[in-house]
Amino acid sequence: MSNTLPKIAWIGLGIMGSPMAENLIKAGYQVTGFTLEQAKLDRLAAAGGAAAGSIAEAVKDADVVITMVPASPQVEAIAYGDEGILAHARPGTLLIDMSSITPQTSVDLAENAADKGIRVLDAPVSGGEAGAVEAVLSIMVGGERADFDEAKPIFDALGKTIVLCGPHGSGQTVKAANQLIVAVNIQACAEAVVFLEKSGVDLTAALDVLNGGLAGSTVLTRKKDNFLKREFAPGFRIDLHHKDMGIVTDAARNVGAALPVGAVVAQLVASLRTQGDGGLDHSALLRGVERLSGETPAA
Ligand code: NAD
């Protein structure tokens, strides 16, 4: 039986992109991928996808192109130029950028793509690596309603809470707010962990009961073991959260919104990077609190 589902090109098979692309394959989609690491291309092929040798090769026959790369410069690098998506995708293609980038980059991309007859949605996600693997991501979308409706079956294979937030860039604005809330929440949990340990309280018991009350959160549920075991393999890298704190700080300035606590946490994230922890999971904010509290974090 021939496959009538849209053909997907996936650019950016990292911590998030690999499991997300694999979930589309499991849902029956034909996925052709391109990314910088050969091992990730091999992983896609082993999962039943096709590995392409370039962006052009990946997108030329696609109905839908999905991108999941680190930040605005990478989105611009893969979209524009002679080797980019806009030069090689067919008119009528739907381009869904799921990276977390500045809202303005999404707006500009939608405008430039429209000149080529390519439609764009910004569709950043929340839920982390576990959410990607389990296909339970929250997906915050900006763009046209008709394009959102067309993309909805694809989003349904990747996530659980899927919302059209408004015009181009709106998904990114909501994601920026998400990153503000997550960073402040992790910082508060990290401060509680150091406080509880220094007070001699059983940390496992304390976090369990805290998570059942008003202080409970998805952050605490997902990151509790990182705190308890001091395991900080990413996950979501501090480097990426630093990028996101820059996005939300800048976007808030542009609209005249004050983020006093967010600004402090942005500084703490930045400081963790300068201490050499940029490649660790964002739960490593705990290491910053330990240092401020006169402790030496485990190596
Ligand atoms: P990652 O660094 O693990 O993966 C990024 C991938 O992009 C890499 O595989 C790399 O090969 C690819 N890439 C970069 N430049 C490329 C290019 N020019 N051509 C082709 N491929 C290119 O990052 P990640 O953790 O998967 O995050 C991706 C995006 O998702 C980021 O914007 C991040 O902020 C966001 N995000 C991440 C998480 C998380 O928990 N990791 C959660 C939500 C959102």
Side-chain angles (χ1 to χ4, degrees):
M1 209 175 68
S2 70
N3 190 338
T4 55
L5 294 172
K7 280 199 197 118
I8 312 252
W10 194 292
I11 314 294
L13 294 160
I15 288 177
M16 298 296 282
S18 281
M20 292 168 76
E22 285 162 16
N23 282 333
L24 289 185
I25 294 168
K26 281 184 213 149
Y29 290 90
Q30 282 176 257
V31 178
T32 303
F34 177 71
T35 203
L36 299 180
E37 306 87 357
Q38 184 59 44
K40 300 287 175 69
L41 289 170
D42 295 344
R43 174 176 164 173
L44 180 74
S54 66
I55 289 172
E57 188 190 330
V59 306
K60 66 182 169 44
D61 297 321
D63 303 305
V64 175
V65 177
I66 304 181
T67 53
M68 191 54 159
V69 294
S72 292
Q74 288 82 17
V75 169
E76 287 165 347
I78 62 177
Y80 302 131
D82 291 348
E83 307 302 320
I85 295 165
L86 299 191
H88 294 278
R90 298 181 304 208
T93 300
L94 180 59
L95 168 57
I96 306 174
D97 177 40
M98 306 193 80
S99 327
S100 306
I101 62 173
T102 71
Q104 190 59 47
T105 308
S106 295
V107 171
D108 294 344
L109 178 61
E111 274 175 23
N112 286 308
D115 294 342
K116 310 254 176 185
I118 294 170
R119 299 161 295 136
V120 177
L121 292 171
D122 49 296
V125 306
S126 179
E129 183 183 15
V133 171
E134 296 162 20
V136 296
L137 293 167
S138 274
I139 308 178
M140 26 216 115
V141 187
E144 300 292 331
R145 163 70 63 183
D147 298 334
F148 174 79
D149 291 343
E150 188 179 322
K152 184 70 171 32
I154 293 172
F155 291 146
D156 284 334
L158 301 173
K160 204 166 69 173
T161 307
I162 298 143
V163 178
L164 179 63
C165 301
H168 297 295
S170 307
Q172 297 297 351
T173 302
V174 176
K175 173 66 183 175
N178 183 87
Q179 294 306 84
L180 167 68
I181 295 167
V182 170
V184 170
N185 195 340
I186 293 178
Q187 177 65 21
C189 291
E191 291 181 14
V193 165
V194 173
F195 161 61
L196 289 163
E197 282 185 336
K198 284 203 168 228
S199 306
V201 172
D202 179 317
L203 189 60
T204 306
L207 295 185
D208 277 347
V209 71
L210 285 172
N211 209 22
L214 196 55
S217 65
T218 308
V219 161
L220 198 47
T221 302
R222 293 282 197 195
K223 302 297 178 185
K224 186 164 54 104
D225 284 346
N226 300 70
F227 295 140
L228 287 169
K229 298 177 187 158
R230 272 25 181 206
E231 269 178 19
F232 299 119
F236 186 70
R237 284 181 285 121
I238 284 287
D239 283 339
L240 289 176
H241 218 139
H242 176 68
K243 173 251 317 177
D244 291 339
M245 295 313 283
I247 292 172
V248 69
T249 305
D250 185 52
R253 272 178 71 158
N254 289 340
V255 296
L259 310 179
V261 174
V264 170
V265 176
Q267 290 292 314
L268 293 167
V269 172
S271 136
L272 209 56
R273 283 185 92 217
T274 60
Q275 293 165 48
D277 286 347
L280 300 183
D281 186 69
H282 51 175
S283 51
L285 275 166
L286 178 61
R287 291 166 60 85
V289 180
E290 286 177 328
R291 291 187 187 105
L292 287 171
S293 305
E295 304 285 319
T296 304

